[in-house]
């Protein structure tokens, strides 16, 4: 299997990883797709390890760190969702990926919506997981409180609250090493870049523009997700013509980590029907 890692040449420089395909399917499926996987706030491209390995059986898989995360640069903020979508467009253009199947979770899903609206020729299809097209006023106030908490006490001030939203209590009990791993990842973020991404997320507002997304879309929600509950997913699925909604049981915000098999199965089933080879 071919695997390439690098940094984009355009600013901000973003760390990326390209892998696959390991084999070509004789029976169709996602053999000819190029996937771009976009992670959640506070994570990095390793959030997708299991899904990337799965998708690379039959397609090319690109993962990258958002600005302010992992090995990518963190320019001065605040950021906007439009800027984060333009980052993605530059990545797709620089790597000459062509139209991609975008798989984004939380912040990555918000970027995917904006990318499909701003750069429709870059997107073949969308998977929008555990995400929203806009926040009510009280949730926007919560983002302001989170930003203030980081400014005063650093990422330590918010990391444990984030982990409670990301994973349900049963997962915390069963997978303490995984919890510790992602706690360290959050604390490894650039605090200023994290705040700047929070500002972009707080301002997300694509609900009224969702009917303009003209590609096949799978919306995935976690039944136990407190951060972006299934009601937010339904708004997206109802707003995009022909979108499919799947709600995963026993899944909170980082559903791809809590329910990796159910997540990948949902993507596989949708691909076979929405984008047959």
């Amino acid at each position: 299997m071919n695997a390439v890692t690098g940094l984009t040449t355009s600013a901000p420089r973003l760390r990326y990883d390209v892998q696959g395909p390991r084999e070509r399917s004789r029976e169709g499926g996602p053999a000819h797709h190029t996937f771009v996987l976009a992670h959640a706030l506070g994570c990095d491209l390793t959030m997708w390890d299991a899904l990337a390995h799965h998708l690379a059986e039959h397609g090319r898989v690109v993962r990258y760190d958002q600005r302010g995360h992992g090995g990518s640069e963190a320019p001065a903020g605040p950021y906007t969702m439009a800027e984060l979508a333009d980052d993605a467009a530059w990545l797709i253009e620089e790597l000459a990926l062509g139209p991609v199947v975008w798989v984004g979770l939380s912040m990555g899903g918000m970027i995917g919506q904006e990318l499909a609206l701003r750069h429709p020729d870059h997107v073949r299809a969308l998977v929008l997981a555990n995400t929203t097209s806009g926040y009510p006023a009280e949730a926007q106030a919560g983002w302001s409180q989170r930003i203030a908490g980081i400014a005063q006490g650093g990422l330590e001030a918010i990391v444990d609250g984030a982990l409670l939203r990301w994973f349900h209590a049963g997962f915390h009990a069963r997978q303490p090493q995984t919890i510790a791993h992602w706690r360290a990842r959050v604390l490894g973020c650039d605090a200023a870049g994290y705040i700047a991404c929070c500002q972009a997320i707080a301002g997300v507002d694509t609900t009224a523009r969702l009917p303009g997304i003209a590609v096949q879309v799978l919306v995935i929600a976690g039944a136990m997700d407190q951060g972006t509950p299934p009601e937010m997913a339904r708004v997206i699925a109802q707003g995009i013509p022909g979108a499919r909604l799947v709600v995963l049981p026993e899944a909170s915000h980082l559903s791809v980590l809590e329910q990796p098999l159910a997540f990948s199965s949902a993507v596989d089933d949708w691909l076979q029907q929405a984008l047959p080879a």
Side-chain angles (χ1 to χ4, degrees), residues 10-14 64-67 73-91 102 107 110-115 118-119 193 195-201 203-204 209:
S10 55
R13 301 194 71 188
L14 306 176
Y64 74 105
D65 290 338
Q66 311 290 349
R67 56 166 74 185
E73 293 181 342
Y79 307 153
T80 66
M81 202 54 64
E83 288 175 320
L84 299 182
D86 288 347
D87 287 350
W90 279 112
L91 174 77
W102 181 272
M107 179 173 68
M110 299 173 200
I111 294 168
Q113 295 168 59
E114 196 66 48
L115 178 68
R118 290 176 64 81
H119 303 278
I195 287 174
C197 284
C198 288
Q199 292 166 322
I201 291 170
V204 66
R209 294 180 287 146

Side-chain angles (χ1 to χ4, degrees), residues 40-236:
L41 176 70
C43 299
D44 65 4
L45 59 79
T46 65
M47 188 190 88
W48 298 110
D49 281 353
L51 185 66
H53 182 81
H54 172 76
L55 293 176
E57 289 287 349
H58 307 295
R60 181 169 49 165
V61 182
V62 180
R63 298 176 286 165
Y64 74 105
D65 290 338
Q66 311 290 349
R67 56 166 74 185
H69 292 72
S72 293
E73 293 181 342
Y79 307 153
T80 66
M81 202 54 64
E83 288 175 320
L84 299 182
D86 288 347
D87 287 350
W90 279 112
L91 174 77
I92 291 168
E93 291 170 12
E94 181 171 324
L95 299 182
L97 301 179
V100 304
V101 178
W102 181 272
V103 184
L105 189 146
S106 193
M107 179 173 68
M110 299 173 200
I111 294 168
Q113 295 168 59
E114 196 66 48
L115 178 68
L117 290 164
R118 290 176 64 81
H119 303 278
D121 56 322
H122 289 17
V123 179
R124 185 179 181 197
L126 289 170
V127 178
L128 305 174
N130 302 87
T131 193
T132 187
S133 57
Y135 286 104
E138 58 269 24
Q140 291 178 345
W143 283 105
S144 296
Q145 293 170 4
R146 188 184 306 194
I147 291 167
I150 299 168
Q152 185 173 11
L155 291 168
E156 282 275 4
I158 59 87
V159 62
D160 292 322
L163 291 168
L164 290 174
R165 289 187 297 273
W166 285 2
F167 306 107
H168 62 76
F171 191 87
H172 276 260
R174 292 193 303 270
Q175 301 279 354
Q177 292 181 327
T178 301
I179 302 300
H181 170 84
W182 289 105
R183 190 178 195 278
R185 289 288 185 186
V186 173
L187 296 178
C189 289
D190 180 275
Y194 187 104
I195 287 174
C197 284
C198 288
Q199 292 166 322
I201 291 170
V204 66
D205 184 16
T206 54
T207 304
R209 294 180 287 146
L210 290 174
I213 295 177
V215 295
Q216 295 291 324
V217 177
L218 171 65
V219 183
I220 297 176
M224 304 171 70
D225 189 349
Q226 300 177 29
T228 52
E231 290 75 17
M232 289 181 167
R234 291 189 183 97
V235 170
I236 297 173

Side-chain angles (χ1 to χ4, degrees), residues 2-13:
N2 297 323
V4 177
T5 59
L7 289 171
T8 60
T9 59
S10 55
R13 301 194 71 188

